[in-house]
Amino acid sequence: MSAPYPAGEGELPGRIMSGEMAEQPAVLRRILDQGAPVIRAVAAEIAARRPRFVLLTARGTSDNAALYAKYLIEITLGLPCGLASMSTTTAYGAKPDLKDVLVITVSQSGGSPDLVTSAKAAREAGAVTLAVTNNPDSPLAAVSEYHIDVLAGPEKALPATKTYTASLLSLYLFVEGLRGGDGAAAAILPELAEAILARGDEVKALASRYRFAERMVITSRGYGYPTAKEAALKLMETSYIPALSYSGADLLHGPLAMVDNISPVIAVVTDGRGGEALQPVLDRLRGRGADLFVVGPKTQVAAASAGFVLPTAGVAEEVQPILEILPLQMLAYEVTIARGQDPDAPRALAKVTETH
């Protein structure tokens, strides 16, 4: 992405989102340099308590980060892991037995009442509670036993960008810490993120294809699935284009029928087992004549209608989502600008969403 707009052009639409996207390489470096030792210490303390199960709690963009953590925990740790339904506690007053369960609550602001209530109830029910936020002084951090600061710095644009990638990296380092790993696979991410964000003109040209799209379908498998969900959210909240996200496996169970040669399909193809599992879906999409946009390795992009080549050679599959979302953030931004809207301030939204 291009650098933030000059200070003298402060009224231009999208200035804040553009600047925050451009900050992401620096945020990733900050986490690796300053946050990693703290994250490792928290992980070591929690690992010593040997949790038998993990529950993840979040809303919105943070829910997609939590889904990424679910894949990490199940694949790399072999621990059962679920996404919590907060209303069972906040609306129905359920009192589950959470002894020896690790409850991780992910929230950019740490201020939503249902997240705070749910984390507090989990701790009272015997859980080991961890808050992952961008605000160490938040109510959520206060009611949780442990806290990880994702160190993204103030985020003012309504669409979350840098807090999402910061949450992914922080969660990756935490899970690595739980299993005694060093997280070395993440070291290359800031440099690669910088290279991707420098390709803003390429994304702007691609965005012109989708300026008048009436809907989009976004699909992936494995580690890429949270990216598909987050990309759909970004497109909907900025450009107002209905964007439907599906696991590739679920897409074949019915929704494939709505795919035609008019509505674009974005496929996030992780370089690894997730991409291999998605291959039959890509073949079916091509067979239906879909307008297929691929974010992934060069070989996959070459076989699509359009795409963005990711520099994934030698990059561990489990950290690729931190790179995959970047061109899709830029795409949401550029499509929104092309449609004459302001991605900094989507209608009807607030930065801190207070659900109960």
Side-chain angles (χ1 to χ4, degrees):
M1 187 65 203
S2 56
Y5 291 113
E9 301 179 62
E11 297 305 313
L12 285 175
R15 175 187 61 87
I16 303 173
M17 184 179 177
S18 171
E20 290 175 351
M21 285 191 292
E23 287 180 43
Q24 290 177 103
V27 172
L28 298 177
R29 287 190 181 96
R30 187 183 308 136
I31 294 168
L32 291 171
D33 294 342
Q34 301 174 24
V38 178
I39 294 171
R40 276 195 298 270
V42 170
E45 283 195 37
I46 292 176
R49 297 173 67 169
R50 302 180 63 84
R52 59 183 172 86
F53 190 91
V54 182
L55 277 176
L56 291 149
T57 307
R59 296 282 192 204
T61 285
S62 293
D63 197 35
N64 299 327
L67 180 59
Y68 166 74
K70 183 178 188 294
Y71 276 90
L72 279 174
I73 290 164
E74 291 183 344
I75 294 170
T76 65
L77 301 180
L79 275 177
C81 185
L83 297 173
S85 299
M86 280 177 283
S87 63
T88 60
T89 299
T90 60
Y92 291 93
K95 298 186 182 299
D97 178 6
L98 298 179
K99 184 179 179 182
D100 299 327
V101 173
L102 171 59
V103 174
I104 304 173
T105 307
V106 186
S107 171
Q108 298 149 39
S109 69
S112 185
D114 58 348
L115 293 168
V116 176
T117 300
S118 180
K120 186 173 183 290
R123 189 170 182 181
E124 291 170 352
V128 179
T129 53
L130 168 66
V132 179
T133 81
N134 194 39
N135 183 2
D137 298 319
S138 63
L140 178 60
V143 301
S144 301
E145 187 175 359
Y146 297 97
H147 177 256
I148 288 174
D149 184 353
V150 303
L151 299 175
E155 188 173 61
K156 297 179 180 178
L158 285 176
T161 54
K162 64 179 183 174
T163 53
Y164 179 68
T165 49
S167 296
L168 295 191
L169 179 54
S170 297
L171 287 163
Y172 167 73
L173 293 173
F174 172 70
V175 175
E176 276 290 284
L178 287 179
R179 70 188 189 103
D182 59 7
I188 197 172
L189 294 177
E191 177 185 342
L192 294 178
E194 211 157 46
I196 291 170
L197 290 166
R199 294 161 62 188
D201 290 344
E202 184 180 335
V203 177
K204 187 174 184 177
L206 289 167
S208 65
R209 295 172 58 95
Y210 307 116
R211 178 180 178 183
F212 299 108
E214 295 184 1
R215 73 168 185 232
M216 290 187 180
V217 174
I218 308 177
T219 188
S220 189
R221 290 204 68 181
Y223 284 116
Y225 180 42
T227 306
K229 290 177 68 67
E230 174 62 12
L233 177 59
K234 284 292 152 288
L235 283 162
M236 287 190 286
E237 69 182 351
T238 55
S239 69
Y240 316 142
I241 297 174
L244 309 173
S245 59
Y246 294 98
S247 157
D250 289 331
L251 186 63
L252 297 182
H253 286 267
L256 184 67
M258 71 176 172
V259 173
D260 52 31
N261 62 354
I262 298 174
S263 299
V265 178
I266 298 175
V268 181
V269 186
T270 304
D271 192 357
R273 293 186 183 183
E276 293 167 7
L278 190 64
Q279 192 59 54
V281 182
L282 298 176
D283 294 340
R284 292 284 296 276
L285 289 168
R286 293 188 188 100
R288 290 189 61 80
D291 178 358
L292 183 60
F293 178 108
V294 166
V295 174
K298 185 175 182 179
T299 53
Q300 294 289 350
V301 171
S305 307
F308 187 98
V309 176
L310 284 176
T312 54
V315 180
E317 183 176 359
E318 59 266 28
V319 298
Q320 289 180 35
I322 298 169
L323 303 176
E324 290 167 350
I325 192 57
L326 300 178
L328 295 167
Q329 290 174 347
M330 291 192 286
L331 182 69
Y333 169 88
E334 294 292 357
V335 168
T336 304
I337 294 293
R339 288 163 71 95
Q341 294 150 201
D342 185 357
D344 284 344
R347 64 194 182 204
L349 296 181
K351 187 60 182 172
V352 179
T353 303
E354 294 192 356
T355 47
H356 294 270

